[in-house]
Amino acid sequence: MLSKSTVALAGLLTAGTLLAGCSKETAAPAYPTPQATAASPQNATVANGVMMQGFYWDVPLSTPAGTWWQNLGAKATELKAAGITAMWIPPAYKGSGKNDVGYGVYDRYDLGEFNQKGTVATRYGTIGQLQSAIGALHGQGIQVYEDMVMNHLTSADNQELANNQYNVYTSFTYPGRNNTYSNYQWHWYNFSATQQAPNNGWYQWAAYDFQPYANGDAYDNLLGSEIRYNDINNANETIGWGNWITTKLNLDGYRLDATKHIQTTYLNRWLDAVKTNGRFAVSEAWFRNLQDMNNYAAATGGRTSLFDVPLHYTFADMSNGNGSWDMRGLQFAGFTEANGALSVSFVDNHDTDQTGGALFSPVSNLKMLAYAYILTREKGYPCVFYKDYYEYGLGAQLKKLMQVRQANAYGAATEYTSVNDADVYAYSRAGDASHKGLLVLLNDGGSSRSKGITTPFKSATLTDQTGNVSGTVTTNASGYATFSVPARGYAVWVPTGATTTMLPPTSGTTAVTFNVTYSNTTSGQDVYVVGSTAQLGSWNAASAIKLSGAAYPKWSGTVNLTSNTAVQYKYLRKDAAGNVLWEGGANRAFTPSGTTTTRTDTWQN
């Protein structure tokens, strides 16, 4: 959710509300009623994966690497090494101008390609730089989630008379794009209300079609012209756009903005139509109350993960207490504990960090304790904030925690309710056949502490992998020992001699013949294969392997790949000018073996 001016429902009514039918709309679609289903982890995520929010409010227009897209691309290798497995990128489409951070959406089909609103590039760069950044991230095996803003548009091209009552800027015709990619235009009857300069007053002519969750708080923080998804044309267009941008950018998933302001039954339909082939989705449904979170998870039927807002505010309370807060409040906390399979845990984000923003609630104190909590926990998909990693100087500590997470955060979890006290919180993971587990202690007190704990680790020697406590601790035959944690600090105790998983040998190569059937080409267009290894171009479209169309519509080519090494790949279409169309669907995957093998595929739409 972007930081918008708070507008109460009463303010909308005083602005002059007329709940009248719009003659140019079509009948409301009958979307199926969502069912509360058992949630399961979305299969786009990887074991013990960590997402990064790859931006913050008002990122610089230029960096030492160039634009923001170039900056993210340049950091792909180091982020992979640190343990980042997915990147949430900011809204990639044209906003109100060069300085717009992307949430003031003007044209969802302009990814920095057309001269509109006084600029070709968005705040983050051009479409070519964006695609190169995604290629670099994919080349390191990092998934990419795009920020999808679907509830409003801003900065219309022209003014028009809405409902024979209001002269408002609600006409979006996109002359600079001239119908490229889509000829859909937006007018007043596609919206329910709009916020207009110079006083940001609200004008409303149709009822909002989203549910008033949590006693009506869905009516706060509206912006621009609010889209009506009761209009089947808007509904279908937004699904079409979702599939278009997924293919255009080869996306692995989505972060959905301000979903309380989107008709929930339509959101479910959008997810069913767009989030296919194992792609991931997480929704920003900003509920402080855990029951409201659970209700929304039921209403969306497990289709989307949710950011754990209640857990963020628990961390904010810990931060504001700055040593006086009762650390037992971390026991079984938040939506992460209640529904871990659908939870994305986070400490801070662009909204909570933005001074003066409506959601400003930073975890300023004891922040690394909060990160140690989410990065070692059994449940939840943790998200690291770019600004914490790079701008606030926490990168080295976060990298160490992510490495510990990948090596040791496995197996059954234990909450030490009889051990924890007002200052110290303890939690362990028992490990599994390949990983030795861990014991984490968090201390918000002003002095170092020691705790006697019966761990899952019997007759084991443990060291603190964070480096915050020196020396070793050896447990007895029952797993009991006394463990230390520094003042206002954390420690992650890990058994020494951790088991490593043996990988198959990678020597030798396999001659892999790729065959794909695809007929949607014209003169000058060719089909290529590209993938996760250097031999397949490291997801860089410029380095993709060209296939032969001699047996058209079958395209074929043979590439020598390292044997017994897992590979992901996709096909793309490219012309001489470098215009690229990626096939849809999830990445294809296999492990080459033997001297030769053949992949026979059909292009995924």
Side-chain angles (χ1 to χ4, degrees):
M1 180 182 295
L2 53 161
S3 180
K4 311 164 188 169
S5 57
T6 301
V7 181
L9 177 59
L12 292 172
L13 295 173
T14 57
T17 304
L18 178 62
L19 302 180
C22 303
S23 60
K24 296 184 181 180
E25 70 185 52
T26 56
Y31 300 132
T33 301
Q35 302 295 316
T37 60
S40 60
Q42 300 183 62
N43 62 7
T45 61
V46 300
N48 277 9
V50 180
M51 181 195 317
M52 172 174 274
Q53 179 180 358
F55 65 101
Y56 53 92
W57 274 103
D58 297 329
V59 300
L61 294 175
S62 63
T63 74
T67 67
W68 194 254
W69 295 141
Q70 291 171 313
N71 174 61
L72 292 182
K75 294 186 182 307
T77 301
E78 66 184 79
L79 290 175
K80 170 66 174 180
I84 296 297
T85 58
M87 180 68 71
W88 157 24
I89 63 174
Y93 22 88
K94 190 67 57 69
S96 59
K98 182 62 178 286
N99 294 321
D100 194 289
V101 296
Y103 293 102
V105 184
Y106 164 66
D107 186 354
R108 300 189 293 197
Y109 286 97
D110 184 354
L111 305 179
E113 186 175 4
F114 304 98
N115 189 355
Q116 300 188 107
K117 298 302 173 185
T119 178
V120 172
T122 68
R123 183 183 189 95
Y124 308 108
T126 65
I127 184 172
Q129 293 165 349
L130 170 57
Q131 290 175 320
S132 293
I134 292 173
L137 292 164
H138 280 165
Q140 294 298 319
I142 298 175
Q143 297 177 344
V144 176
Y145 307 151
E146 163 66 341
D147 201 316
M148 309 293 276
V149 185
M150 301 193 294
N151 66 309
H152 64 253
L153 298 175
T154 74
S155 306
D157 296 304
N158 293 292
Q159 196 173 36
E160 56 190 358
L161 183 64
N163 209 47
N164 294 317
Q165 187 174 9
Y166 308 116
N167 284 310
V168 288
Y169 281 93
T170 50
S171 176
F172 295 81
T173 58
Y174 309 117
R177 178 162 52 81
N178 193 28
N179 294 329
T180 305
Y181 303 129
S182 172
N183 61 5
Y184 197 83
Q185 298 183 355
W186 301 79
H187 296 282
W188 67 270
Y189 46 82
N190 300 116
F191 309 107
S192 53
T194 189
Q195 183 186 34
Q196 300 286 308
N199 60 358
N200 288 330
W202 276 92
Y203 304 92
Q204 185 178 8
W205 50 86
Y208 290 120
D209 59 7
F210 46 78
Q211 288 82 345
Y213 289 106
N215 299 315
D217 82 337
Y219 293 106
D220 68 2
N221 291 329
L222 302 177
L223 176 73
S225 297
E226 290 289 322
I227 296 173
R228 300 175 57 253
Y229 285 112
N230 266 335
D231 185 330
I232 191 67
N233 297 314
N234 294 345
N236 290 339
E237 159 63 18
T238 302
I239 288 173
W241 167 74
N243 285 314
W244 171 84
I245 196 172
T246 298
T247 301
K248 188 75 172 177
L249 298 181
N250 193 23
L251 298 175
D252 304 290
Y254 319 93
R255 181 266 187 185
L256 306 181
D257 182 63
T259 55
K260 289 191 300 185
H261 305 163
I262 302 172
Q263 185 184 62
T264 304
T265 49
Y266 172 68
L267 184 72
N268 292 341
R269 181 188 170 214
W270 189 94
L271 289 164
D272 288 343
V274 179
K275 190 185 79 71
T276 57
N277 296 307
R279 293 189 183 91
F280 176 78
V282 56
S283 293
E284 184 214 34
W286 200 265
F287 297 115
R288 295 187 63 158
N289 181 277
L290 180 57
Q291 186 57 54
D292 292 330
M293 294 285 293
N294 289 332
N295 291 344
Y296 194 82
T300 49
R303 292 172 173 85
T304 173
S305 292
L306 303 175
F307 286 106
D308 192 349
V309 176
L311 183 60
H312 159 74
Y313 283 109
T314 296
F315 294 147
D317 289 342
M318 177 182 71
S319 172
N320 293 336
N322 201 18
S324 64
W325 189 74
D326 192 330
M327 293 290 282
R328 286 168 290 197
L330 293 176
Q331 295 173 168
F332 307 105
F335 185 67
T336 296
E337 180 62 33
N339 199 337
L342 291 180
S343 177
V344 172
S345 52
F346 70 102
V347 179
D348 269 323
N349 67 18
H350 60 302
D351 283 321
T352 66
D353 178 75
Q354 187 202 14
T355 303
L359 301 180
F360 182 63
S361 51
V363 180
S364 301
N365 303 305
L366 308 169
K367 178 168 280 190
M368 284 306 303
L369 275 65
Y371 272 118
Y373 183 96
I374 68 172
L375 289 170
T376 56
R377 203 137 192 96
E378 178 187 22
K379 298 180 179 180
Y381 181 13
C383 182
V384 170
F385 186 32
Y386 181 102
K387 198 170 187 180
D388 286 336
Y389 195 95
Y390 284 109
E391 307 298 328
Y392 291 154
L394 302 181
Q397 297 178 77
L398 289 169
K399 179 178 180 180
K400 175 57 68 175
L401 282 174
M402 287 188 284
Q403 291 171 339
V404 171
R405 172 180 175 81
Q406 192 55 244
N408 292 91
Y410 297 86
T414 299
E415 292 270 22
Y416 293 92
T417 56
S418 62
V419 173
N420 297 334
D421 60 33
D423 286 338
V424 177
Y425 170 83
Y427 176 87
S428 71
R429 303 290 301 279
D432 58 25
S434 302
H435 308 89
K436 289 291 189 179
L438 57 82
L439 170 70
V440 59
L441 285 86
L442 312 177
N443 177 17
D444 76 340
S447 59
S448 62
R449 293 285 303 277
S450 295
K451 281 282 187 180
I453 300 175
T454 300
T455 73
F457 318 118
K458 298 175 173 58
S459 302
T461 299
L462 295 88
T463 59
D464 171 28
Q465 292 295 290
T466 69
N468 293 331
V469 181
S470 60
T472 63
V473 171
T474 300
T475 62
N476 65 18
S478 299
Y480 180 87
T482 299
F483 297 87
S484 298
V485 58
R488 297 176 63 82
Y490 62 99
V492 184
W493 292 91
V494 170
T496 59
T499 303
T500 58
T501 302
M502 296 301 294
L503 299 176
T506 60
S507 60
T509 60
T510 300
V512 181
T513 298
F514 293 91
N515 296 318
V516 61
T517 300
Y518 180 62
S519 59
N520 190 17
T521 59
T522 60
S523 178
Q525 295 177 331
D526 291 288
V527 174
Y528 297 70
V529 63
V530 66
S532 57
T533 68
Q535 295 146 320
L536 287 175
S538 298
W539 291 119
N540 186 344
S543 301
I545 309 302
K546 185 177 179 179
L547 303 179
S548 169
Y552 185 88
K554 183 174 78 172
W555 300 78
S556 301
T558 300
V559 184
N560 290 323
L561 301 181
T562 302
S563 302
N564 302 313
T565 297
V567 172
Q568 295 186 47
Y569 70 99
K570 297 193 82 162
Y571 298 102
L572 59 85
R573 187 187 73 196
K574 186 166 60 169
D575 62 22
N579 297 308
V580 175
L581 173 68
W582 291 79
E583 69 167 337
N587 295 340
R588 306 174 189 272
F590 77 110
T591 300
S593 61
T595 56
T596 64
T597 190
T598 300
R599 305 295 295 175
T600 301
D601 301 310
T602 299
W603 181 280
Q604 301 177 124
N605 293 315

